[in-house]
Amino acid sequence: MGDVFLMIPKDGPVRRIYKVSEPMETRTNEYSRKGAMWELERNLDQPMDAEAGRLRNMYREKTYPTILLLRLAFQSLGVVFGDLGTSPLYVFYNIFPHGIEDTEQVIGALSLIIYSLTLIPLVKYVFIVLRANDNGQGGTFALYSLLCRHAKINIIPNQHRTDQDLTTYSRRTYEEKSLAAKIQRWLEGHQFRKNLILILVLFGTCMAVGDGILTPAISVLSATGGIQVEEGRMRNDVVVIISVLILIGLFSMQHYGTDKVSWLFAPIVFVWFILIGILGAVNICKYDHSVLKAFNPVYVYRYFKRGKTSWTSLGGIMLSITGTEALFADLSYFPVQAIQIAFTVVVFPCLLLQYTGQAAFIAANTNQVSHAFYISLPAPILWPAFAVATAAAIVASQATISATYSIIKQALALGCFPRVKIIHTSKKYLGQIYSPDINWILMVFCIAVTAGFKNQSQIANAYGTAVIMVMLVTTFLMIPIMLLVWRSHWTLVVAFTVLSLLVEIPYFSAVVRKIDQGGWVPLVFAAGFLIIMYVWHYGTLKRYEFEMHSKVSMAWILGLGPSLGLVRVPGIGLVYTELASGVPHIFSHFITNLPAIHSTLVFVCVKYLPVYTVPPDERFLVKRIGPKNFHMFRCVARYGYKDIHKKDDDFEKMLFDSLILFVRLETMMEEYSDSDEYSTLMMSLPNNPGISNGGVTTTGTNNVMEVMSCTSTHDSIVPVNSKSNDTGSSQVMPASGQMAFQSVGDEIAFLNACRDAGVVHILGNTVIRARRDSGFVKKIAINYMYAFLRKICRENSAIFNVPHESMLNVGQVFYV
């Protein structure tokens, strides 16, 4: 049989997408029939390479004028580099918490900072990892979405081959014997490998969330610590209280969004970088210019020769590159070139000057490592510098918090996080979001870390653990990205991996030694979030698999007749389902327990794809289910992980407009069924093909299509003679003997009347339970953890913004 999907655009041409499945009955002419259907497929679905290429170019990275690019580079300072820029406040104190032995030790540590900044942020991230973006989107889930499009590793199998025709669904094909093809088959070959990649992605995401908790804590605490330089008698508890009050104010203001104050972020951070750059240059000239020897990599080797203390200090040195992961996570706000310009022209030189100048001051004042940044300031600018540092720390915290919201939204869209409330705080910038549930969780944890540790050292150990974990996850995910997406030569992949791990593995070994000194905190956070995310994903997968295997057969639906065995009352019923094909089992439960059903039924599947966005003109796929007199349709609404699910009124209107357009186009295509070219091809097709999902069968060439009707009692379809009059109307007589609509206008008038009668949203409240013979772990995961998460998270009605007065919940318990 052949099912036709019409992809309904807002503008431009309509794209027909056909699916051919095996006939239900085995016949002697099976192979000849398949050959005819394949020939028909080629004739109907001609390649659209030129159009697809033109549309895909719309989503490639834009080219910007030089002035605009410089302006974007300036703005990126306030969003992307705040965390990296505030690191000089606490790096040297955490490298030498127990004092300094001699000047060469300071030079060795500075040399490590210089080459860490060069290899990780500059080489790895700015010039390599930033290129691995998903149409301008960065972060761990962006890498995962790229992999899901180039290899079938997506755990939830709700994708259709038509999804690959999206203009944003960029992917490549490989030669059979190429290395990329072998890697692809290896990844797809076993479920364990798919789960391993998913766990790696979830672990990196959880560590990034932990980063969102620790960054505000250490940044604000380090900035406010400058008060003790001027007020030496002030106790540390007072500094902690001030930091907590700032954090409470910061999180309390999140619901207003950053749109109204974001214009201040870039100037604040720019002033901060200029300040630390000038101060560093002054300190080099004023104190000890011999620290410039640190640019010689020989001092790295000498530093490690000093013994175990040098190795354990790597945890402090690694803090100089914290915030680097934000370069990639916040990529969606700015083009790659803008971030590259900002880092190479402003951020990198100013950081090198500041760290070198601070090292010069410490070399001359070995007993003043604590708060070395503030102590090295000239007295007249201490308080202005304190104000700028505090403002920069708040900006850095805000950027990390916003990035955490985006990470949670991506995880939610891909079915890896419980449903939480997402609010869009800006009408101008769609990427600015706020989640009240996540916001208060972050605030509680952040305050607990700040008040619990009370000092930079232990928070820094926790912070370093989170950062290095995210970097390692990025490195491992970049290996298949380079092989599958970029098709890089294996020698380049090996070189990238070796150089990255050469820097990151020593840092990892150093932070592991400090797990008992605060490094356990992000691991606990990550473990908690990982369990929540994986249990939610596991429960969602099991529920989807059960619904796939228990969906209602089309033969049963057809056997009920056009009335479905019930009274068809005026109105439209929108039946929400997670299935992109087939009739969900919950529908049979519905019609066997209620005496009436709406005169028009639309099975609505809202699904998210591993793409950053689905263009609005490609969002809806509409098809008819069964004969016309059944008045049943399917609509698949597709979204990317950055898209916004519109409010109910907008979504309902777009869905209905797509339905009307489908009916018009379907009738227009039927009008060509009398052409001579069509009738010649029709002779070669079998007269009575089987049907497995009911609906529209297509025949002919190019725009030619004939609608075939199904009998109400047999699982087969027969051709129906269709005559077109001068006005373009067509008459279809179902085999059941009931008259169909005389013209397309009649059906559209019928649909409008149904809509005026009322729209009811029918949602399935499916509860899954573990079977009695299930294992102990599965029972705990499904019956308790997943059930608890579903109970406390938002319902589907809230996610879809369904008004309660037009909502109908249908509950059922499934045992998996």
Side-chain angles (χ1 to χ4, degrees):
M1 79 96 186
D3 292 338
V4 60
F5 285 88
L6 288 186
M7 189 156 58
I8 307 298
K10 295 173 67 176
D11 302 301
V14 180
R15 301 174 64 183
R16 299 182 314 283
I17 304 166
Y18 297 94
K19 174 186 174 183
V20 177
S21 59
E22 296 291 338
M24 294 184 63
E25 299 178 2
T26 304
R27 308 177 193 273
T28 56
N29 61 346
E30 177 181 2
Y31 291 100
S32 62
R33 177 179 303 172
K34 290 170 64 176
M37 294 301 291
W38 286 343
E39 180 67 25
L40 175 62
E41 176 84 6
R42 285 196 299 268
N43 291 331
L44 282 171
D45 202 7
Q46 294 292 333
M48 302 180 69
D49 295 338
E51 179 193 3
R54 176 180 61 81
L55 290 172
R56 285 195 177 93
N57 287 335
M58 296 167 55
Y59 300 96
R60 290 177 181 171
E61 188 176 350
K62 298 178 181 178
T63 57
Y64 297 88
T66 303
I67 300 298
L68 179 59
L69 196 61
L70 293 176
R71 179 183 174 187
L72 292 172
F74 174 76
Q75 292 176 350
S76 70
L77 292 173
V79 176
V80 179
F81 299 105
D83 190 8
L84 192 62
T86 54
S87 297
L89 291 171
Y90 47 79
V91 167
F92 276 105
Y93 169 72
N94 287 282
I95 297 175
F96 306 115
H98 306 296
I100 298 171
E101 298 176 4
D102 51 45
T103 302
E104 187 170 323
Q105 188 180 20
V106 177
I107 296 175
L110 176 61
S111 185
L112 270 171
I113 292 174
I114 291 172
Y115 286 101
S116 296
L117 282 171
T118 303
L119 292 175
I120 299 299
L122 183 64
V123 176
K124 177 184 174 181
Y125 276 87
V126 172
F127 290 113
I128 298 178
V129 174
L130 288 187
R131 292 182 54 231
N133 61 84
D134 184 14
N135 290 278
Q137 306 297 316
T140 307
F141 270 106
L143 295 178
Y144 184 61
S145 68
L146 278 175
L147 288 178
C148 287
R149 296 205 299 270
H150 289 79
K152 296 178 181 179
I153 60 174
N154 195 17
I155 304 298
I156 299 181
N158 66 341
Q159 295 185 33
H160 191 269
R161 71 177 185 87
T162 58
D163 298 334
Q164 299 178 10
D165 296 328
L166 290 171
T167 53
T168 52
Y169 201 100
S170 58
R171 65 191 304 268
R172 295 186 178 185
T173 56
Y174 315 105
E175 296 180 1
E176 184 69 21
K177 297 182 179 180
S178 64
L179 177 62
K182 295 178 181 178
I183 296 295
Q184 182 187 37
R185 290 193 296 270
W186 184 81
L187 290 175
E188 298 173 351
H190 201 281
Q191 189 67 27
F192 172 77
R193 296 167 194 149
K194 299 179 183 180
N195 282 319
L196 186 62
I197 294 177
L198 176 64
I199 292 174
L200 183 66
V201 170
L202 295 182
F203 181 74
T205 302
C206 294
M207 280 297 178
V209 174
D211 193 7
I213 296 171
L214 296 170
T215 297
I218 192 170
S219 297
V220 173
L221 186 61
S222 300
T224 54
I227 301 176
Q228 292 179 305
V229 175
E230 186 69 19
E231 303 291 337
R233 296 181 180 180
M234 182 177 292
R235 296 192 311 170
N236 190 59
D237 291 341
V238 178
V239 176
V240 172
I241 292 174
I242 295 174
S243 301
V244 169
L245 292 176
I246 293 175
L247 290 173
I248 292 175
L250 175 64
F251 283 101
S252 300
M253 298 294 289
Q254 290 299 311
H255 68 280
Y256 292 109
T258 59
D259 188 23
K260 297 180 180 179
V261 295
S262 58
W263 61 274
L264 281 173
F265 289 177
I268 289 174
V269 178
F270 178 74
V271 170
W272 170 252
F273 276 114
I274 297 302
L275 173 65
I276 64 175
I278 293 175
L279 178 63
V282 170
N283 285 342
I284 293 172
C285 299
K286 182 178 179 180
Y287 293 106
D288 188 359
H289 59 80
S290 65
V291 295
L292 294 175
K293 295 185 294 185
F295 284 88
N296 186 345
V298 172
Y299 285 91
V300 174
Y301 171 73
R302 292 183 179 178
Y303 185 75
F304 282 116
K305 283 185 64 178
R306 301 178 69 90
K308 182 179 178 181
T309 56
S310 298
W311 194 267
T312 55
S313 68
L314 286 176
I317 294 173
M318 198 205 63
L319 295 176
S320 63
I321 57 176
T322 55
T324 301
E325 66 283 355
L327 292 175
F328 191 42
D330 294 329
L331 183 61
S332 59
Y333 298 100
F334 303 98
V336 173
Q337 287 180 306
I339 295 179
Q340 290 174 336
I341 291 173
F343 186 83
T344 55
V345 174
V346 178
V347 178
F348 188 62
C350 290
L351 287 177
L352 290 183
L353 285 173
Q354 171 58 32
Y355 283 119
T356 306
Q358 202 171 144
F361 171 80
I362 293 173
N365 303 272
T366 55
N367 60 341
Q368 294 183 341
V369 179
S370 179
H371 303 300
F373 173 80
Y374 286 110
I375 297 175
S376 65
L377 289 170
I381 66 169
L382 176 60
W383 287 112
F386 170 77
V388 176
T390 304
I394 293 174
V395 171
S397 303
Q398 176 62 56
T400 309
I401 294 169
S402 299
T404 304
Y405 297 151
S406 297
I407 290 171
I408 295 297
K409 184 180 183 300
Q410 292 179 20
L412 190 152
L414 295 177
C416 296
F417 200 83
R419 297 183 296 267
V420 294
K421 188 175 184 179
I422 300 293
I423 299 174
H424 295 267
T425 58
S426 174
K427 295 181 179 180
K428 184 177 179 182
Y429 302 104
L430 299 181
Q432 295 185 4
I433 60 176
Y434 162 70
S435 175
D437 306 321
I438 300 301
N439 181 69
W440 301 125
I441 291 174
L442 292 179
M443 187 188 76
V444 170
F445 284 148
C446 189
I447 292 175
V449 168
T450 305
F453 286 137
K454 298 183 181 181
N455 65 79
Q456 299 178 21
S457 180
Q458 289 184 316
I459 299 178
N461 294 336
Y463 191 27
T465 303
V467 171
I468 195 61
M469 294 291 186
V470 176
M471 290 183 178
L472 284 171
V473 169
T474 302
T475 300
F476 291 132
L477 289 178
M478 281 296 297
I479 297 173
I481 290 291
M482 295 179 73
L483 290 171
L484 294 179
V485 182
W486 294 353
R487 290 198 253 190
S488 302
H489 195 274
W490 67 269
T491 55
L492 296 177
V493 179
V494 171
F496 169 81
T497 307
V498 169
L499 288 177
S500 298
L501 296 181
L502 191 64
V503 179
E504 292 166 359
I505 290 298
Y507 283 138
F508 174 75
S509 65
V511 299
V512 166
R513 293 171 177 264
K514 296 185 178 182
I515 287 180
D516 60 336
Q517 302 173 32
W520 56 271
V521 173
L523 296 178
V524 171
F525 288 154
F529 278 101
L530 181 61
I531 291 173
I532 291 173
M533 295 173 76
Y534 191 79
V535 167
W536 181 264
H537 187 272
Y538 177 76
T540 303
L541 174 62
K542 289 300 177 183
R543 188 176 63 180
Y544 182 84
E545 288 178 347
F546 185 88
E547 292 187 356
M548 276 292 295
H549 293 134
S550 62
K551 60 185 179 181
V552 180
S553 68
M554 200 61 211
W556 184 76
I557 295 290
L558 295 175
L560 297 175
S563 66
L564 299 178
L566 304 170
V567 177
R568 301 295 290 267
V569 297
I572 296 179
L574 300 181
V575 183
Y576 289 85
T577 173
E578 296 182 2
L579 300 179
S581 62
V583 178
H585 186 269
I586 200 78
F587 180 70
S588 65
H589 181 69
F590 176 75
I591 64 176
T592 54
N593 287 275
L594 291 179
I597 194 67
H598 300 87
S599 53
T600 298
L601 288 175
V602 182
F603 293 93
V604 181
C605 172
V606 178
K607 69 175 183 178
Y608 286 86
L609 303 177
V611 295
Y612 79 102
T613 186
V614 175
D617 58 348
E618 300 179 69
R619 178 145 294 156
F620 291 96
L621 285 176
V622 180
K623 69 165 285 187
R624 189 185 295 275
I625 300 178
K628 281 190 175 183
N629 56 347
F630 276 60
H631 311 308
M632 296 171 63
F633 302 88
R634 182 188 319 286
C635 179
V636 180
R638 304 176 295 182
Y639 290 86
Y641 54 79
K642 282 287 186 179
D643 285 332
I644 307 171
H645 184 73
K646 297 292 185 182
K647 289 188 177 181
D648 182 64
D649 293 339
D650 297 331
F651 179 78
E652 185 179 303
K653 181 179 182 302
M654 289 190 298
L655 189 151
F656 188 77
D657 291 344
S658 300
L659 189 62
I660 294 296
L661 184 56
F662 169 82
V663 172
R664 292 183 184 276
L665 295 172
E666 182 187 43
T667 304
M668 289 171 57
M669 296 170 71
E670 291 173 15
E671 295 174 6
Y672 291 94
S673 60
D674 288 335
S675 66
D676 295 335
E677 182 181 13
Y678 159 75
S679 59
T680 302
L681 179 62
M682 184 63 192
M683 296 297 294
S684 64
L685 293 178
N687 291 328
N688 206 20
I691 182 171
S692 63
N693 200 24
V696 179
T697 299
T698 62
T699 58
T701 59
N702 296 332
N703 292 346
V704 183
M705 184 181 90
E706 182 182 22
V707 177
M708 295 183 177
S709 167
C710 305
T711 65
S712 61
T713 57
H714 296 85
D715 192 22
S716 61
I717 59 177
V718 294
V720 177
N721 294 327
S722 177
K723 296 182 180 180
S724 301
N725 55 23
D726 295 337
T727 60
S729 63
S730 60
Q731 182 176 356
V732 181
M733 178 70 71
S736 61
Q738 296 187 10
M739 289 294 295
F741 299 109
Q742 298 296 319
S743 67
V744 62
D746 292 342
E747 185 169 10
I748 291 176
F750 173 77
L751 292 175
N752 282 318
C754 291
R755 185 186 185 187
D756 294 338
V759 177
V760 175
H761 301 259
I762 304 171
L763 285 79
N765 188 13
T766 304
V767 177
I768 62 171
R769 304 284 293 178
R771 293 192 300 266
R772 291 185 177 181
D773 58 346
S774 300
F776 176 76
V777 176
K778 183 177 180 179
K779 288 182 178 179
I780 294 295
I782 296 295
N783 295 347
Y784 296 98
M785 298 182 66
Y786 183 72
F788 176 75
L789 292 174
R790 278 181 59 86
K791 185 177 180 179
I792 64 174
C793 75
R794 304 187 79 207
E795 297 181 353
N796 282 331
S797 59
I799 297 296
F800 297 138
N801 295 286
V802 177
H804 289 281
E805 59 272 12
S806 62
M807 180 183 67
L808 179 62
N809 266 314
V810 181
Q812 194 171 12
V813 178
F814 292 156
Y815 287 90
V816 296

